[in-house]
């Protein structure tokens, strides 16, 4: 099912929201759904409930505020069903430009003050680039070279929150939600996507997820390939090297089964391996057009076996690609990836898929700047996820409309007229109000 082809963006938007209404449940949720989605699309400074109420119903702001607040914070509609409908409407539009090539897993953070919003803790905040008070959500996106769409979204619940019954009850964390690491949440999303039969692609991730050996091994077990960022100290066996086989059985006790290491059989870090490569191993590769110029850098690739705790294994791990980026002018390599893409893959194609992760960074930028993903001001589990679901729905519509929007034009401003607000209105949380 796709969106109707007409020149009227407003008509297409209404048809799109009507599709979402079909899975929202009660008929009385249709109007709040439409208004909330419209509010997310409008070019206003804050996309929290109060300013959206003012912009969508300026003559009855108080009543609209209560309606939207209940709909997003308390409404018992299904995030899963709405996201499924978004996929049904948007993925065909994406696939018009080419097949899905990657499943991108990542996390995004939201700086927060106070301790009462669900999942808030002092932890690494990617938006600030340091440890600070924030919420973190893990996402899975379907991507090709034209667009990407988040299809799964879940708040990371730190251990302190997961074990605190009082705080869980206060913000409505479901009983079935237990503590999971971010890689465990990502793996659950990948398993769900496989079971749902979504169009497959290589799983692409940065080093925050790629360093998790269990995650990479589990992805392989699901029949998927990956391109995983790793850290420079990750140890591997170069081609032609490896651990020693198990000891010969003496005839007494159980036969030895575990691989061995000694002074002559030691793995090397990927940084050591990269620095030892000959000059001929490096190639300049261009992978895509940037906003101002073609993006290119210097890369090398070699076949390796991961060495992580293989002394607890009976067999060597399979070979895979180690991809290394070392731009001209840098003192040492800056990025490393492990990949289970086919051995005969073209070098440029390997780089191209590794670099496709930029799409998730664009997702987060547009979700936060265009549709207000980080503007939710409630404290509850349900409201946090409901707001994110409708932000993804609004973003999905923008993806579908991308061909109709001229370059350098703000999406929402192009698609919808500016609605009137009463003179002097300042949304809570705005710079002026603060």
């Amino acid at each position: 099912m796709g969106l109707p082809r007409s020149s009227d963006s407003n008509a297409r938007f209404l048809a799109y929201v009507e599709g979402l209404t079909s899975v929202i449940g009660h008929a009385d949720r249709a109007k709040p759904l439409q208004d909330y989605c419209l509010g997310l699309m409008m070019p206003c400074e804050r996309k929290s409930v109060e300013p959206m109420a003012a912009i969508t119903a300026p003559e009855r702001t108080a009543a609209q505020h209560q309606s939207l607040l209940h709909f997003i914070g308390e409404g018992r509609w299904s995030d899963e069903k709405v996201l499924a409908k978004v996929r049904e409407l948007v993925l065909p539009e994406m696939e018009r430009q080419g097949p899905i090539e990657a499943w991108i897993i990542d996390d995004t953070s939201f700086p927060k003050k106070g301790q009462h919003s669900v999942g808030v803790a002092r932890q690494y905040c990617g938006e600030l680039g340091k440890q600070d008070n924030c919420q973190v959500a893990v996402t899975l996106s379907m991507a090709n070279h034209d667009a990407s769409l988040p299809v799964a979204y879940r708040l990371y619940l730190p251990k302190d929150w997961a074990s605190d019954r009082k705080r869980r009850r206060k913000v409505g964390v479901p009983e079935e939600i237990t503590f999971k690491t971010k890689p465990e949440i990502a793996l659950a999303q990948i398993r769900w996507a496989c079971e749902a039969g979504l169009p497959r692609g290589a799983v692409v991730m940065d080093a925050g997820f790629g360093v998790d050996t269990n995650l990479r091994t589990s992805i392989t077990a699901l029949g998927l390939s990956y391109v995983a960022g790793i850290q420079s100290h990750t140890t591997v066996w170069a081609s032609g090297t490896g651990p020693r086989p198990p000891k010969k059985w003496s005839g007494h006790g159980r036969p030895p089964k575990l691989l061995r290491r000694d002074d002559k059989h030691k793995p090397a870090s990927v940084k050591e391996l990269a620095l030892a490569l000959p000059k001929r191993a490096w190639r300049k590769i261009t992978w895509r057009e940037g906003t101002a110029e073609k993006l290119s850098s210097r890369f090398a690739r070699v076949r390796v076996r991961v060495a992580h705790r293989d002394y607890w294994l009976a067999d060597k791990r399979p070979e895979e690609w180690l991809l290394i980026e070392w731009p001209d002018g840098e003192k040492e390599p800056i990025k490393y990836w492990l990949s289970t893409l086919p051995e005969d893959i073209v070098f440029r194609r390997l780089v191209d898929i590794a670099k496709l992760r930029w799409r998730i960074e664009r997702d987060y930028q547009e979700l936060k700047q265009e549709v207000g993903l980080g503007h939710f001001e409630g404290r509850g589990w349900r409201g946090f996820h409901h707001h994110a679901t409708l932000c993804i729905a609004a973003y999905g519509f923008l993806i579908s409309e991308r061909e109709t929007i001229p370059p350098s034009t703000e999406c929402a401003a192009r698609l919808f007229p500016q609605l009137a607000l009463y003179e002097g209105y300042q949304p809570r949380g705005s710079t002026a109000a603060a």
Side-chain angles (χ1 to χ4, degrees), residues 4-68:
R5 293 284 170 185
S6 79
S7 59
D8 187 351
S9 293
N10 285 288
R12 289 197 297 274
F13 176 73
L14 291 174
Y16 180 81
V17 175
E18 186 177 347
L20 303 182
T21 303
S22 66
V23 298
I24 206 73
H26 297 298
D28 57 4
R29 294 174 183 159
K31 186 64 166 63
L33 170 66
Q34 179 178 331
D35 289 345
Y36 202 92
C37 289
L38 180 60
L40 292 174
M41 300 290 288
M42 296 306 300
C44 58
E45 184 179 351
R46 293 285 297 177
K47 306 293 180 74
S48 55
V49 172
E50 185 181 9
M52 287 198 299
I55 204 170
T56 55
E59 297 178 354
R60 52 180 191 87
T61 299
Q64 180 77 333
H65 179 265
Q66 289 301 315
S67 173
L68 296 183

Side-chain angles (χ1 to χ4, degrees), residues 38 78 102 112 152 172 193-194 228 245 247 261 264 287 295 309 331 334 361 384 425 429 434:
L38 180 60
S78 168
K112 285 283 184 179
C194 289
K247 290 181 179 180
R261 299 178 183 180
K264 294 183 179 180
W287 64 89
L295 301 180
R309 296 184 179 178
K331 294 181 179 179
I334 62 169
E361 296 170 359
F384 178 89
Y425 174 78

Side-chain angles (χ1 to χ4, degrees), residues 388-408:
T389 293
L390 296 187
C391 285
I392 292 169
Y395 182 60
F397 179 73
L398 291 178
I399 290 173
S400 303
E401 290 291 292
R402 191 162 284 164
E403 292 181 4
T404 70
I405 302 171
S408 304

Side-chain angles (χ1 to χ4, degrees), residues 87-125:
R87 294 197 308 273
E88 179 186 329
L89 293 169
V90 178
L91 282 181
E93 303 296 321
M94 289 175 55
E95 291 177 314
R96 290 177 188 273
Q97 308 301 320
I100 297 301
E101 297 178 88
W103 291 6
I104 307 175
I105 57 176
D106 208 346
D107 58 45
T108 188
S109 54
F110 309 96
K112 285 283 184 179
K113 294 181 180 179
Q115 299 293 328
H116 301 294
S117 294
V118 60
V120 165
R122 188 170 182 81
Q123 54 193 322
Y124 181 75
C125 179

Side-chain angles (χ1 to χ4, degrees), residues 173-211:
V173 178
E175 287 291 332
E176 65 271 16
I177 299 298
T178 58
F179 173 74
K180 285 186 177 180
T181 64
K182 294 170 193 174
E184 287 172 340
I185 294 172
L187 181 57
Q189 292 175 337
I190 292 168
R191 284 177 173 153
W192 161 81
C194 289
E195 292 170 0
L198 299 188
R200 293 197 168 200
V203 180
V204 180
M205 60 193 117
D206 67 8
F209 292 88
V211 296

Side-chain angles (χ1 to χ4, degrees), residues 212-274:
D212 192 295
T213 304
N214 180 65
L215 175 59
R216 299 196 312 269
T217 304
S218 299
I219 289 171
T220 300
L222 289 169
L224 298 167
S225 57
Y226 61 74
V227 182
I230 55 171
Q231 296 174 341
S232 61
H233 58 72
T234 303
T235 56
V236 296
W237 300 98
S239 183
T241 68
R244 296 185 64 189
K247 290 181 179 180
K248 291 184 179 181
W249 186 39
S250 65
H252 301 284
R254 293 182 178 178
K257 294 182 178 180
L258 301 181
L259 300 172
R260 296 177 295 156
R261 299 178 183 180
D262 58 28
D263 291 341
K264 294 183 179 180
H265 296 79
K266 290 182 179 179
S269 71
V270 292
K271 181 179 178 179
E272 292 171 336
L273 184 58

